Amino acid sequence: MPALENAFAGQKYLLQDTPSRAEPGKGNVLHLLKKHGQALLVALAVVLTVVLGYTGVNLYFEELEDPRSPWDIGYYILCLFVLEVGELEGTVPWQLTVARLLGAGVAFWAVVRAGLLLFDERLRAAKPGRWRGHAVVCGLGRKGLCLALELRAKGIRVAAIGREADHPNLLRCRKEGVVVFLGDATDPELLERAGATRAGHVFMVTGDDGANVEAAMKLYEIKKIGRGNNPSLALTVRGIYARLLCLVNARPAPENNQTKCFVHVVDLHLCELFKQHSTFKDDTDQLDVRVFNTYETAARLLLAGHPLEGDTAEDQDKQPHLVLLGFGKMGQSIALQAAKIAHYPSGRPLRITVIDREASRRRDLFFGGYPKFPALCRAEFLDAEISSNDTIDRLDAWAREPGSRVTLAVCLDEDSESLNTAMKIAARIGGYGVRVHVRMFE
């Protein structure tokens, strides 16, 4: 059976130069103490308060020759936690004294804990304002969530910006220690509150190319404001104040630490245009903008790790035949990357076959953006159901063709559909050496 490969590289490859932190084992005692140590200490204090309090109250009233029932003693124990025992006459047993102190400590902890929970959002929101070198993730969709969780797993402090208060990913991020701000990532004030100007890495992954680009431009402007290099700053209170300080102290405006800003742009044309923007070619500024496209990155890594021409001498003489099941963003990126290579030892042109329910419509749109693509390879587009028996029969026939090396990439949007289709195809053409790559989100 051919190997089933995951062809979706995603954003993990942006973080390869970041040192990772060892993940603690589930049965590690130290890890449990670190995670639940406070709760264990409070529970122990409560147990000791009850045990010592019962013993101490019982001894106290026996000393006064006024024994009390267990119900009365239980009431006095409850009073220990609300500080209503009152002044005790005579000799107080040490057990009761310790219990009173422990009860007061538990009560104090409960009050502090309640205050922290009450003002949790405000306290969390204030943290990134003091951070430096942290990461800011703009957008809490699938990509933003993966980035935030992976950064946290590496021990990096993370602030995130999301639009929807009831988004399911928001609670998961907060559970992992991510400070989440609600609002528009293109809002300069919100970017500053998240500490984007002092961050080591900023990721624009909102799911909207326009919003990602605009947010990057806003961050660029903020960094310029911080440096005092923008002439329009003279009209702002911050700009005037910063310039006055520089004049009084006779020193230049302070430089910020450089921030690496990764901007996700799905539209490949916009991606190329944005890379050439003169705004981000200034080597003197403190913002290093890098445009990336997860589909383009995945396609490049896929073809680099699994060349279409194969690895053996026998494969070198065969014509590469790339079959794409689905022609969305992932399929288009693989086709473009394969066409860019398009020079193979056999000297025969690359053959690309696209099977999609809307292959003809998507072909016209694709050729409109890349008119030279047909000249780089032999491209064929077939309107068909991807998992139908007719499609599998075609794949089986192509796999049997002599002098052809078939590589299959399943590029559907749904993970379950992709995997089911790949398994169905693999069961049919498993004996012909066809490698099947599956695009998976999870």
Coordinates of all heavy atoms in Angstrom, one line a residue, residues 288-380:
D288 N 10.8 43.8 11.1 CA 11.2 42.9 10.0 C 9.9 42.1 9.6 O 9.5 41.2 10.3 CB 12.3 41.9 10.6 CG 12.7 40.9 9.5 OD1 12.3 41.1 8.3 OD2 13.4 39.9 9.9
V289 N 9.3 42.5 8.5 CA 8.1 41.9 8.0 C 8.4 40.8 7.0 O 9.2 40.9 6.1 CB 7.2 43.0 7.3 CG1 5.9 42.3 6.8 CG2 6.9 44.1 8.3
R290 N 7.8 39.7 7.3 CA 8.0 38.5 6.4 C 6.6 37.9 6.0 O 5.8 37.6 6.9 CB 8.7 37.4 7.2 CG 10.1 37.9 7.7 CD 10.9 36.7 8.4 NE 12.1 37.2 9.0 CZ 13.0 36.4 9.6 NH1 12.8 35.1 9.6 NH2 14.1 36.9 10.1
V291 N 6.3 37.9 4.7 CA 5.1 37.4 4.2 C 5.2 35.9 4.1 O 6.2 35.4 3.5 CB 4.7 38.1 2.9 CG1 3.4 37.7 2.4 CG2 4.7 39.6 3.1
F292 N 4.1 35.2 4.5 CA 4.2 33.8 4.3 C 2.8 33.3 3.9 O 1.8 34.0 4.1 CB 4.6 33.1 5.6 CG 3.6 33.0 6.7 CD1 2.9 31.8 6.9 CD2 3.4 34.1 7.5 CE1 2.0 31.7 7.9 CE2 2.5 34.0 8.5 CZ 1.7 32.8 8.7
N293 N 2.8 32.2 3.3 CA 1.5 31.5 2.9 C 1.6 30.1 3.2 O 2.5 29.4 2.7 CB 1.3 31.7 1.3 CG 0.1 31.1 0.8 OD1 -0.2 29.9 1.0 ND2 -0.8 32.0 0.2
T294 N 0.8 29.6 4.1 CA 0.9 28.2 4.5 C 0.7 27.2 3.4 O 1.4 26.1 3.4 CB -0.2 27.9 5.6 OG1 -1.5 28.2 5.1 CG2 0.1 28.7 6.9
Y295 N -0.1 27.5 2.4 CA -0.2 26.6 1.3 C 1.0 26.6 0.4 O 1.5 25.5 0.0 CB -1.4 27.1 0.4 CG -2.7 27.3 1.2 CD1 -3.2 28.5 1.5 CD2 -3.4 26.1 1.6 CE1 -4.4 28.7 2.2 CE2 -4.6 26.3 2.3 CZ -5.1 27.5 2.6 OH -6.2 27.7 3.3
E296 N 1.6 27.7 0.2 CA 2.9 27.8 -0.6 C 4.0 27.1 0.2 O 4.8 26.3 -0.4 CB 3.3 29.3 -0.8 CG 4.5 29.4 -1.6 CD 4.9 30.9 -1.8 OE1 4.5 31.7 -0.9 OE2 5.6 31.2 -2.7
T297 N 4.0 27.3 1.5 CA 5.1 26.6 2.3 C 4.9 25.1 2.3 O 5.8 24.3 2.1 CB 5.0 27.1 3.7 OG1 5.2 28.5 3.8 CG2 6.1 26.5 4.6
A298 N 3.6 24.7 2.4 CA 3.3 23.2 2.4 C 3.7 22.6 1.1 O 4.3 21.5 1.0 CB 1.9 23.0 2.7
A299 N 3.4 23.3 0.0 CA 3.7 22.8 -1.4 C 5.2 22.7 -1.6 O 5.7 21.7 -2.1 CB 3.1 23.7 -2.4
R300 N 5.9 23.7 -1.1 CA 7.4 23.7 -1.3 C 8.0 22.5 -0.5 O 8.9 21.8 -1.0 CB 8.0 25.0 -0.9 CG 9.5 25.2 -1.1 CD 10.0 26.6 -0.9 NE 9.8 27.0 0.5 CZ 8.9 27.8 0.9 NH1 8.1 28.4 0.1 NH2 8.8 28.2 2.2
L301 N 7.6 22.4 0.7 CA 8.1 21.3 1.6 C 7.8 19.9 1.1 O 8.5 19.0 1.1 CB 7.7 21.5 3.0 CG 8.2 22.7 3.7 CD1 7.5 22.9 5.1 CD2 9.7 22.6 4.0
L302 N 6.5 19.8 0.5 CA 6.1 18.5 0.0 C 7.0 18.1 -1.2 O 7.4 17.0 -1.2 CB 4.6 18.7 -0.4 CG 4.1 17.5 -1.3 CD1 4.0 16.2 -0.5 CD2 2.7 17.8 -1.9
L303 N 7.2 19.0 -2.1 CA 7.9 18.6 -3.3 C 9.4 18.5 -3.1 O 10.1 17.8 -3.7 CB 7.7 19.7 -4.4 CG 6.2 19.7 -4.9 CD1 6.0 20.8 -6.0 CD2 5.7 18.4 -5.4
A304 N 9.9 19.2 -2.0 CA 11.3 19.1 -1.7 C 11.6 17.8 -1.0 O 12.6 17.1 -1.2 CB 11.7 20.3 -0.8
G305 N 10.6 17.3 -0.2 CA 10.8 16.1 0.5 C 10.4 14.9 -0.3 O 10.9 13.7 0.0
H306 N 9.6 15.0 -1.3 CA 9.1 13.9 -2.1 C 9.1 14.4 -3.6 O 8.1 14.8 -4.2 CB 7.7 13.5 -1.7 CG 7.6 13.2 -0.3 ND1 8.0 12.0 0.2 CD2 7.1 13.9 0.8 CE1 7.8 11.9 1.5 NE2 7.2 13.1 1.9
P307 N 10.3 14.4 -4.2 CA 10.4 14.9 -5.6 C 9.5 14.1 -6.6 O 9.4 12.9 -6.4 CB 11.9 14.6 -5.9 CG 12.6 14.5 -4.6 CD 11.6 13.9 -3.7
L308 N 9.0 14.8 -7.5 CA 8.1 14.1 -8.5 C 8.8 13.2 -9.4 O 8.2 12.2 -9.9 CB 7.4 15.2 -9.3 CG 6.5 16.2 -8.6 CD1 5.9 17.2 -9.6 CD2 5.4 15.4 -7.9
E309 N 10.1 13.4 -9.6 CA 10.9 12.5 -10.5 C 11.4 11.3 -9.8 O 11.9 10.4 -10.4 CB 12.1 13.3 -11.1 CG 13.2 13.7 -10.0 CD 12.9 15.0 -9.4 OE1 11.7 15.5 -9.4 OE2 13.9 15.7 -8.9
G310 N 11.2 11.2 -8.4 CA 11.5 10.0 -7.7 C 13.0 10.0 -7.3 O 13.7 11.0 -7.5
D311 N 13.4 9.0 -6.6 CA 14.8 8.9 -6.1 C 15.7 7.9 -6.8 O 16.9 7.9 -6.7 CB 14.7 8.6 -4.6 CG 13.9 9.6 -3.8 OD1 14.1 10.8 -4.1 OD2 13.1 9.2 -2.9
T312 N 15.1 6.9 -7.5 CA 15.9 5.8 -8.1 C 16.2 6.1 -9.5 O 15.6 7.0 -10.1 CB 15.1 4.5 -8.0 OG1 13.9 4.6 -8.8 CG2 14.6 4.2 -6.6
A313 N 17.2 5.4 -10.0 CA 17.6 5.6 -11.4 C 16.5 5.2 -12.4 O 16.4 5.8 -13.4 CB 18.9 4.8 -11.7
E314 N 15.8 4.2 -12.0 CA 14.7 3.8 -12.9 C 13.6 4.9 -13.0 O 13.0 5.1 -14.1 CB 14.0 2.5 -12.3 CG 12.9 2.0 -13.1 CD 12.3 0.8 -12.5 OE1 12.8 0.3 -11.4 OE2 11.2 0.3 -13.0
D315 N 13.3 5.6 -11.9 CA 12.3 6.7 -11.9 C 12.8 7.9 -12.7 O 11.9 8.6 -13.3 CB 12.0 7.1 -10.5 CG 11.2 6.1 -9.7 OD1 10.6 5.2 -10.4 OD2 11.3 6.1 -8.5
Q316 N 14.1 8.1 -12.8 CA 14.6 9.3 -13.5 C 14.2 9.3 -15.0 O 14.1 10.3 -15.6 CB 16.1 9.3 -13.4 CG 16.6 9.4 -12.0 CD 16.2 10.6 -11.2 OE1 16.4 11.7 -11.7 NE2 15.7 10.5 -10.0
D317 N 14.0 8.1 -15.6 CA 13.7 8.1 -17.0 C 12.2 8.2 -17.3 O 11.7 8.2 -18.4 CB 14.2 6.7 -17.6 CG 15.7 6.6 -17.6 OD1 16.3 7.7 -17.6 OD2 16.2 5.5 -17.4
K318 N 11.4 8.2 -16.2 CA 9.9 8.3 -16.4 C 9.4 9.7 -16.4 O 10.0 10.6 -15.9 CB 9.2 7.5 -15.3 CG 9.5 6.0 -15.3 CD 8.8 5.3 -14.1 CE 9.1 3.8 -14.1 NZ 8.4 3.1 -13.0
Q319 N 8.2 9.9 -17.0 CA 7.6 11.2 -17.0 C 6.8 11.5 -15.7 O 6.0 10.7 -15.4 CB 6.6 11.4 -18.2 CG 5.9 12.7 -18.3 CD 4.9 12.8 -19.3 OE1 4.3 11.8 -19.7 NE2 4.7 14.0 -19.9
P320 N 7.1 12.5 -15.0 CA 6.4 12.8 -13.8 C 4.9 13.2 -14.1 O 4.7 14.0 -15.0 CB 7.1 14.0 -13.2 CG 8.4 14.1 -13.9 CD 8.2 13.5 -15.2
H321 N 4.0 12.6 -13.4 CA 2.6 12.8 -13.5 C 2.0 13.2 -12.2 O 1.9 12.3 -11.3 CB 1.9 11.6 -14.1 CG 0.5 11.8 -14.4 ND1 -0.4 10.8 -14.8 CD2 -0.3 13.0 -14.4 CE1 -1.6 11.3 -15.0 NE2 -1.6 12.6 -14.8
L322 N 1.7 14.4 -12.0 CA 1.1 14.9 -10.7 C -0.4 14.9 -10.9 O -0.9 15.6 -11.8 CB 1.6 16.3 -10.4 CG 1.0 17.0 -9.2 CD1 1.3 16.2 -7.9 CD2 1.6 18.4 -9.1
V323 N -1.1 14.2 -10.0 CA -2.6 14.2 -10.0 C -3.1 14.9 -8.8 O -2.7 14.5 -7.6 CB -3.1 12.8 -10.1 CG1 -4.7 12.8 -10.1 CG2 -2.6 12.0 -11.3
L324 N -3.9 16.0 -8.9 CA -4.4 16.7 -7.8 C -5.9 16.5 -7.7 O -6.7 16.8 -8.6 CB -4.2 18.2 -8.1 CG -2.7 18.7 -8.2 CD1 -2.6 20.1 -8.6 CD2 -2.0 18.4 -6.9
L325 N -6.3 16.0 -6.6 CA -7.7 15.8 -6.3 C -8.2 16.9 -5.4 O -7.9 17.0 -4.2 CB -7.9 14.4 -5.5 CG -7.5 13.2 -6.3 CD1 -7.8 11.9 -5.5 CD2 -8.1 13.1 -7.6
G326 N -8.8 17.9 -6.1 CA -9.2 19.1 -5.4 C -8.3 20.2 -5.9 O -7.1 20.1 -5.9
F327 N -8.9 21.4 -6.3 CA -8.1 22.5 -6.8 C -8.4 23.8 -6.1 O -8.7 24.8 -6.7 CB -8.3 22.6 -8.3 CG -7.1 23.3 -9.0 CD1 -5.9 22.8 -9.0 CD2 -7.4 24.5 -9.7 CE1 -4.8 23.4 -9.6 CE2 -6.3 25.1 -10.4 CZ -5.0 24.6 -10.3
G328 N -8.4 23.7 -4.7 CA -8.5 24.9 -4.0 C -7.2 25.6 -3.8 O -6.3 25.4 -4.6
K329 N -7.0 26.3 -2.7 CA -5.7 27.0 -2.5 C -4.5 26.0 -2.4 O -3.4 26.3 -2.9 CB -5.8 27.8 -1.2 CG -6.8 29.0 -1.3 CD -6.4 30.0 -2.3 CE -7.4 31.2 -2.3 NZ -7.1 32.2 -3.4
M330 N -4.8 24.9 -1.7 CA -3.7 23.9 -1.6 C -3.3 23.3 -2.9 O -2.1 23.2 -3.3 CB -4.1 22.8 -0.6 CG -3.0 21.9 -0.2 SD -1.8 22.6 1.0 CE -0.4 22.8 -0.1
G331 N -4.3 22.9 -3.7 CA -4.0 22.3 -5.0 C -3.3 23.2 -5.9 O -2.4 22.9 -6.7
Q332 N -3.8 24.5 -5.9 CA -3.2 25.5 -6.8 C -1.7 25.8 -6.4 O -0.9 25.9 -7.3 CB -4.0 26.8 -6.7 CG -5.4 26.7 -7.3 CD -6.2 28.0 -7.1 OE1 -5.6 29.1 -7.0 NE2 -7.5 27.8 -7.1
S333 N -1.4 25.8 -5.1 CA -0.1 26.0 -4.7 C 0.9 24.9 -5.1 O 2.0 25.1 -5.5 CB 0.0 26.2 -3.1 OG -0.8 27.4 -2.8
I334 N 0.4 23.7 -5.0 CA 1.2 22.5 -5.4 C 1.5 22.6 -6.9 O 2.6 22.3 -7.4 CB 0.5 21.2 -5.0 CG1 0.4 21.1 -3.5 CG2 1.3 20.0 -5.6 CD1 -0.3 19.8 -3.0
A335 N 0.4 22.9 -7.7 CA 0.6 23.0 -9.1 C 1.6 24.1 -9.5 O 2.4 23.9 -10.4 CB -0.8 23.3 -9.8
L336 N 1.5 25.2 -8.8 CA 2.4 26.3 -9.1 C 3.9 25.9 -8.8 O 4.8 26.2 -9.5 CB 2.0 27.6 -8.4 CG 0.8 28.4 -8.9 CD1 0.5 29.5 -8.0 CD2 1.1 28.9 -10.3
Q337 N 4.0 25.3 -7.6 CA 5.4 25.0 -7.2 C 6.0 23.9 -8.1 O 7.2 23.9 -8.4 CB 5.3 24.4 -5.7 CG 6.7 24.2 -5.1 CD 7.5 25.5 -4.9 OE1 6.9 26.6 -4.8 NE2 8.8 25.4 -4.9
A338 N 5.1 22.9 -8.5 CA 5.6 21.9 -9.4 C 6.0 22.5 -10.8 O 7.0 22.1 -11.4 CB 4.5 20.8 -9.6
A339 N 5.2 23.5 -11.3 CA 5.5 24.1 -12.5 C 6.8 25.0 -12.5 O 7.5 25.1 -13.4 CB 4.3 25.0 -13.0
K340 N 7.1 25.5 -11.3 CA 8.3 26.3 -11.1 C 9.5 25.4 -11.3 O 10.6 25.8 -11.8 CB 8.3 27.0 -9.8 CG 7.4 28.2 -9.6 CD 7.4 28.8 -8.2 CE 6.5 29.9 -8.1 NZ 6.5 30.5 -6.7
I341 N 9.4 24.2 -10.8 CA 10.6 23.2 -10.9 C 10.7 22.8 -12.4 O 11.6 23.1 -13.1 CB 10.3 22.0 -10.0 CG1 10.2 22.5 -8.5 CG2 11.5 21.0 -10.1 CD1 9.8 21.4 -7.6
A342 N 9.7 22.1 -12.8 CA 9.4 21.7 -14.2 C 10.7 21.4 -15.1 O 10.7 21.5 -16.3 CB 8.7 22.8 -14.9
H343 N 11.8 21.0 -14.5 CA 12.9 20.5 -15.2 C 13.3 19.2 -14.6 O 13.8 19.1 -13.5 CB 14.1 21.5 -15.1 CG 13.8 22.8 -15.7 ND1 13.7 23.1 -17.0 CD2 13.5 24.0 -15.1 CE1 13.4 24.3 -17.2 NE2 13.3 25.0 -16.1
Y344 N 13.2 18.1 -15.4 CA 13.4 16.8 -14.9 C 14.4 16.0 -15.7 O 14.6 16.3 -16.9 CB 12.0 16.0 -14.8 CG 11.0 16.7 -14.0 CD1 10.0 17.5 -14.5 CD2 11.1 16.6 -12.6 CE1 9.1 18.2 -13.7 CE2 10.2 17.3 -11.8 CZ 9.2 18.1 -12.4 OH 8.3 18.8 -11.6
P345 N 15.1 15.0 -15.1 CA 16.2 14.3 -15.8 C 15.7 13.7 -17.1 O 16.5 13.5 -18.1 CB 16.6 13.3 -14.8 CG 16.2 13.8 -13.5 CD 15.0 14.6 -13.7
S346 N 14.4 13.2 -17.2 CA 14.0 12.5 -18.4 C 13.8 13.5 -19.6 O 13.7 13.0 -20.7 CB 12.6 11.9 -18.1 OG 11.6 12.9 -17.8
G347 N 13.8 14.8 -19.3 CA 13.6 15.8 -20.4 C 12.2 15.8 -20.9 O 11.9 16.6 -21.8
R348 N 11.3 15.1 -20.3 CA 9.9 15.1 -20.7 C 9.1 16.1 -19.9 O 9.4 16.3 -18.7 CB 9.3 13.7 -20.6 CG 10.1 12.6 -21.4 CD 9.7 11.2 -21.0 NE 8.3 10.9 -21.4 CZ 7.8 9.7 -21.2 NH1 8.4 8.8 -20.6 NH2 6.5 9.5 -21.6
P349 N 8.1 16.8 -20.4 CA 7.4 17.8 -19.7 C 6.6 17.2 -18.6 O 6.2 16.1 -18.6 CB 6.5 18.4 -20.8 CG 6.3 17.3 -21.8 CD 7.6 16.6 -21.8
L350 N 6.4 18.0 -17.5 CA 5.6 17.7 -16.4 C 4.1 17.5 -16.9 O 3.6 18.4 -17.6 CB 5.7 18.7 -15.3 CG 4.7 18.5 -14.1 CD1 5.0 17.2 -13.4 CD2 4.8 19.8 -13.2
R351 N 3.5 16.5 -16.4 CA 2.1 16.3 -16.7 C 1.3 16.5 -15.4 O 1.6 15.9 -14.4 CB 1.8 14.9 -17.2 CG 0.4 14.6 -17.6 CD 0.2 13.1 -18.0 NE -1.2 12.7 -18.2 CZ -1.5 11.5 -18.5 NH1 -0.6 10.5 -18.5 NH2 -2.8 11.2 -18.6
I352 N 0.3 17.4 -15.4 CA -0.5 17.7 -14.3 C -2.0 17.4 -14.6 O -2.5 17.9 -15.6 CB -0.4 19.1 -13.8 CG1 1.1 19.4 -13.3 CG2 -1.3 19.4 -12.6 CD1 1.3 20.8 -12.8
T353 N -2.7 16.6 -13.8 CA -4.1 16.4 -14.0 C -4.8 16.8 -12.8 O -4.5 16.4 -11.7 CB -4.3 14.9 -14.3 OG1 -3.6 14.4 -15.4 CG2 -5.8 14.6 -14.5
V354 N -5.9 17.6 -13.0 CA -6.7 18.1 -11.9 C -8.1 17.5 -12.0 O -8.7 17.6 -13.0 CB -6.8 19.7 -11.9 CG1 -7.7 20.2 -10.8 CG2 -5.4 20.3 -11.7
I355 N -8.5 16.9 -10.9 CA -9.9 16.4 -10.8 C -10.6 17.1 -9.7 O -10.2 17.1 -8.5 CB -9.9 14.9 -10.5 CG1 -9.1 14.1 -11.6 CG2 -11.3 14.3 -10.4 CD1 -9.0 12.6 -11.4
D356 N -11.7 17.8 -10.1 CA -12.4 18.6 -9.1 C -13.9 18.7 -9.6 O -14.1 18.6 -10.8 CB -11.8 20.0 -9.0 CG -12.4 20.8 -7.9 OD1 -13.5 21.4 -8.0 OD2 -11.7 20.8 -6.8
R357 N -14.8 18.9 -8.7 CA -16.2 19.1 -9.1 C -16.4 20.3 -10.0 O -17.3 20.3 -10.8 CB -17.1 19.2 -7.9 CG -17.0 17.9 -7.0 CD -17.9 18.1 -5.8 NE -17.8 16.9 -4.9 CZ -17.0 16.9 -3.9 NH1 -16.2 17.9 -3.6 NH2 -17.0 15.8 -3.1
E358 N -15.6 21.3 -9.8 CA -15.7 22.6 -10.6 C -14.3 22.8 -11.2 O -13.8 24.0 -11.2 CB -16.0 23.7 -9.7 CG -17.4 23.5 -8.9 CD -17.7 24.7 -8.0 OE1 -16.8 25.3 -7.4 OE2 -18.9 25.1 -7.9
A359 N -13.7 21.8 -11.8 CA -12.4 21.9 -12.4 C -12.4 23.0 -13.5 O -11.4 23.8 -13.6 CB -12.0 20.6 -12.9
S360 N -13.4 23.0 -14.4 CA -13.3 24.0 -15.5 C -13.4 25.4 -15.0 O -12.6 26.3 -15.5 CB -14.5 23.7 -16.5 OG -14.4 22.4 -17.0
R361 N -14.3 25.7 -14.1 CA -14.4 27.0 -13.6 C -13.2 27.5 -12.9 O -12.7 28.6 -13.1 CB -15.6 27.1 -12.6 CG -15.9 28.5 -12.1 CD -17.0 28.5 -11.1 NE -16.7 27.9 -9.9 CZ -16.0 28.4 -8.9 NH1 -15.6 29.7 -9.0 NH2 -15.7 27.7 -7.8
R362 N -12.6 26.6 -12.1 CA -11.4 27.0 -11.4 C -10.2 27.1 -12.3 O -9.3 27.8 -12.1 CB -11.1 25.9 -10.3 CG -12.2 26.0 -9.2 CD -11.8 25.1 -8.0 NE -12.8 25.3 -6.9 CZ -12.7 24.7 -5.7 NH1 -11.7 23.9 -5.4 NH2 -13.6 25.0 -4.8
R363 N -10.2 26.3 -13.4 CA -9.1 26.4 -14.4 C -9.1 27.8 -15.0 O -8.1 28.4 -15.1 CB -9.3 25.3 -15.4 CG -8.3 25.4 -16.6 CD -8.9 24.7 -17.8 NE -10.2 25.2 -18.2 CZ -11.0 24.6 -19.0 NH1 -10.8 23.3 -19.4 NH2 -12.2 25.1 -19.3
D364 N -10.3 28.3 -15.4 CA -10.4 29.6 -16.1 C -9.9 30.7 -15.1 O -9.2 31.6 -15.5 CB -11.8 29.8 -16.5 CG -12.3 28.9 -17.5 OD1 -11.4 28.2 -18.2 OD2 -13.5 28.7 -17.7
L365 N -10.3 30.6 -13.9 CA -9.8 31.6 -12.9 C -8.3 31.5 -12.7 O -7.6 32.5 -12.6 CB -10.6 31.4 -11.6 CG -12.1 31.7 -11.6 CD1 -12.7 31.3 -10.2 CD2 -12.3 33.2 -11.9
F366 N -7.8 30.3 -12.6 CA -6.4 30.1 -12.4 C -5.6 30.6 -13.5 O -4.6 31.3 -13.4 CB -6.2 28.6 -12.1 CG -4.8 28.2 -11.8 CD1 -4.2 28.6 -10.6 CD2 -4.0 27.5 -12.7 CE1 -2.9 28.3 -10.3 CE2 -2.7 27.2 -12.4 CZ -2.1 27.6 -11.2
F367 N -6.0 30.2 -14.8 CA -5.2 30.7 -15.9 C -5.3 32.2 -16.1 O -4.4 32.8 -16.7 CB -5.8 30.0 -17.2 CG -5.4 28.5 -17.3 CD1 -5.8 27.7 -18.4 CD2 -4.5 28.0 -16.4 CE1 -5.4 26.4 -18.5 CE2 -4.1 26.6 -16.5 CZ -4.6 25.9 -17.6
G368 N -6.4 32.8 -15.6 CA -6.5 34.2 -15.7 C -5.5 34.9 -14.9 O -5.0 36.0 -15.2
G369 N -5.1 34.3 -13.7 CA -4.1 34.8 -12.9 C -2.7 34.4 -13.3 O -1.7 35.1 -13.1
Y370 N -2.6 33.2 -13.9 CA -1.3 32.7 -14.4 C -1.4 32.3 -15.8 O -1.4 31.1 -16.1 CB -0.9 31.5 -13.5 CG -0.8 31.9 -12.0 CD1 -1.9 31.6 -11.2 CD2 0.3 32.5 -11.5 CE1 -1.9 32.0 -9.8 CE2 0.4 32.9 -10.1 CZ -0.7 32.6 -9.3 OH -0.7 32.9 -8.0
P371 N -1.4 33.2 -16.8 CA -1.6 32.9 -18.2 C -0.5 32.1 -18.8 O -0.7 31.4 -19.8 CB -1.7 34.3 -18.8 CG -1.0 35.2 -17.9 CD -1.3 34.7 -16.5
K372 N 0.7 32.1 -18.2 CA 1.9 31.3 -18.7 C 1.9 29.9 -18.2 O 2.8 29.1 -18.6 CB 3.2 32.1 -18.4 CG 3.3 33.4 -19.1 CD 4.6 34.0 -18.8 CE 4.8 35.4 -19.5 NZ 6.1 36.0 -19.3
F373 N 1.0 29.6 -17.3 CA 1.1 28.2 -16.7 C 1.0 27.1 -17.7 O 1.7 26.1 -17.7 CB 0.0 28.1 -15.6 CG 0.0 26.8 -14.9 CD1 0.8 26.6 -13.8 CD2 -0.8 25.8 -15.3 CE1 0.8 25.4 -13.2 CE2 -0.8 24.5 -14.7 CZ 0.0 24.3 -13.6
P374 N 0.0 27.2 -18.7 CA -0.1 26.1 -19.7 C 1.2 25.8 -20.5 O 1.4 24.7 -21.0 CB -1.2 26.5 -20.6 CG -2.0 27.5 -19.8 CD -1.0 28.2 -18.9
A375 N 2.0 26.8 -20.6 CA 3.3 26.7 -21.4 C 4.3 25.9 -20.6 O 5.3 25.4 -21.2 CB 3.8 28.0 -21.8
L376 N 4.2 25.8 -19.3 CA 5.2 25.2 -18.5 C 5.0 23.7 -18.3 O 5.9 23.0 -17.9 CB 5.2 25.9 -17.1 CG 5.5 27.3 -17.1 CD1 5.4 27.9 -15.7 CD2 6.9 27.6 -17.6
C377 N 3.8 23.2 -18.6 CA 3.5 21.8 -18.4 C 2.3 21.4 -19.2 O 1.6 22.2 -19.8 CB 3.2 21.5 -16.9 SG 1.8 22.5 -16.2
R378 N 2.0 20.1 -19.2 CA 0.8 19.6 -19.8 C -0.3 19.4 -18.8 O -0.3 18.6 -17.9 CB 1.1 18.2 -20.4 CG 1.9 18.2 -21.7 CD 2.3 16.8 -22.1 NE 1.0 16.0 -22.2 CZ 1.0 14.6 -22.2 NH1 2.2 14.0 -22.2 NH2 -0.1 14.0 -22.3
A379 N -1.2 20.4 -18.8 CA -2.3 20.4 -17.8 C -3.6 20.0 -18.3 O -4.0 20.4 -19.4 CB -2.4 21.9 -17.2
E380 N -4.3 19.1 -17.6 CA -5.6 18.6 -17.9 C -6.5 18.8 -16.7 O -6.2 18.4 -15.6 CB -5.5 17.2 -18.3 CG -6.8 16.6 -18.8 CD -6.7 15.1 -19.1 OE1 -5.6 14.5 -18.9 OE2 -7.7 14.5 -19.7

